[in-house]
Amino acid sequence: MSAAAEMPYFINPSQALEKEDKIAAYESALQAIDANLAGESDSTLKMVTINCLLKTFLPYYYWVGFYIVRNGKLMVGPYQGTLGCLHIAFSQGVCGKAAREKKTQIVQEVHALAQGSEHIACDPNSQSEIVVPVLDKEGALLAVFDVDSTLQGSFDEVDQTFLEKLLQKHFAEEELVHHA
């Protein structure tokens, strides 16, 4: 699948944040997410709320969403941004690698990766990416959380720390209701 290189009118290009501003934005976003999800057990509602609030608070988020594990591969779930890849095999791309290894992946320049195997170019405007595995209480992979930026080098250990903590809290430490 490929998309047009022209950025859609309804999507803004990413805006970089300094480390201190990034930390403050995450702290505000997580506070809002926790307040909105207090007592919530529905996994879909958690995903859409997390997407919305992170994209609202973090201006370098261009595409944000979940790929849910279904039938041995990843299927696009709730997201915000341009059209995402519909299906991703565990053997392909950054999302597949995060799913296979159950380990966060940070890519500073996605176009430097081998296209089709190491990276899947769903949107040519994406330049950097972070993908975090989403695990349940037993450590089983539920999904991967994928964020793209139109800037190279947008993601670092700050993103990794905050996102891993957020996803652990809302998917591994609480009871969930899943939809088939």
Side-chain angles (χ1 to χ4, degrees):
M1 183 193 90
S2 66
E6 185 176 320
M7 197 166 304
Y9 72 91
F10 58 90
I11 302 289
N12 293 323
S14 301
Q15 297 173 12
L17 290 181
E18 296 297 322
K19 185 175 182 173
E20 301 78 31
D21 294 330
K22 184 185 278 196
I23 291 168
Y26 269 113
E27 288 172 346
S28 296
L30 270 56
Q31 187 175 39
I33 290 166
D34 289 346
N36 279 281
L37 294 181
E40 184 56 62
S41 62
D42 185 280
S43 61
T44 302
L45 293 178
K46 287 181 178 223
M47 290 177 185
V48 297
T49 302
I50 289 168
N51 289 341
C52 176
L53 291 173
L54 287 175
K55 193 157 181 3
T56 297
F57 281 90
L58 294 145
Y60 55 98
Y61 277 38
Y62 172 71
W63 193 98
V64 58
F66 291 84
Y67 281 94
I68 301 165
V69 176
R70 292 271 164 74
N71 302 319
K73 60 183 170 181
L74 299 169
M75 179 184 79
V76 73
Y79 71 93
Q80 289 195 0
T82 57
L83 182 63
C85 298
L86 300 181
H87 301 275
I88 300 174
F90 280 27
S91 61
Q92 291 186 301
V94 180
C95 289
K97 184 175 182 181
R100 270 192 325 274
E101 296 181 2
K102 292 186 184 179
K103 182 179 171 193
T104 298
Q105 305 295 312
I106 298 174
V107 180
Q108 300 301 327
E109 185 181 350
V110 296
H111 298 291
L113 299 175
Q115 296 302 307
S117 58
E118 294 179 324
H119 179 253
I120 303 167
C122 297
D123 185 325
N125 294 300
S126 293
Q127 297 294 319
S128 60
E129 180 175 23
I130 185 170
V131 182
V132 182
V134 181
L135 308 175
D136 68 12
K137 282 184 168 189
E138 288 76 41
L141 185 69
L142 298 172
V144 296
F145 181 68
D146 182 19
V147 187
D148 292 0
S149 173
T150 61
L151 303 171
Q152 290 183 8
S154 287
F155 306 104
D156 58 23
E157 71 283 346
V158 171
D159 300 279
Q160 181 174 353
T161 299
F162 276 98
L163 292 175
E164 287 176 353
K165 178 181 172 186
L166 169 70
L167 296 169
Q168 162 115 15
K169 178 178 184 177
H170 288 286
F171 293 94
E173 296 176 5
E174 299 178 0
E175 290 297 322
L176 293 176
V177 175
H178 302 288
H179 299 282

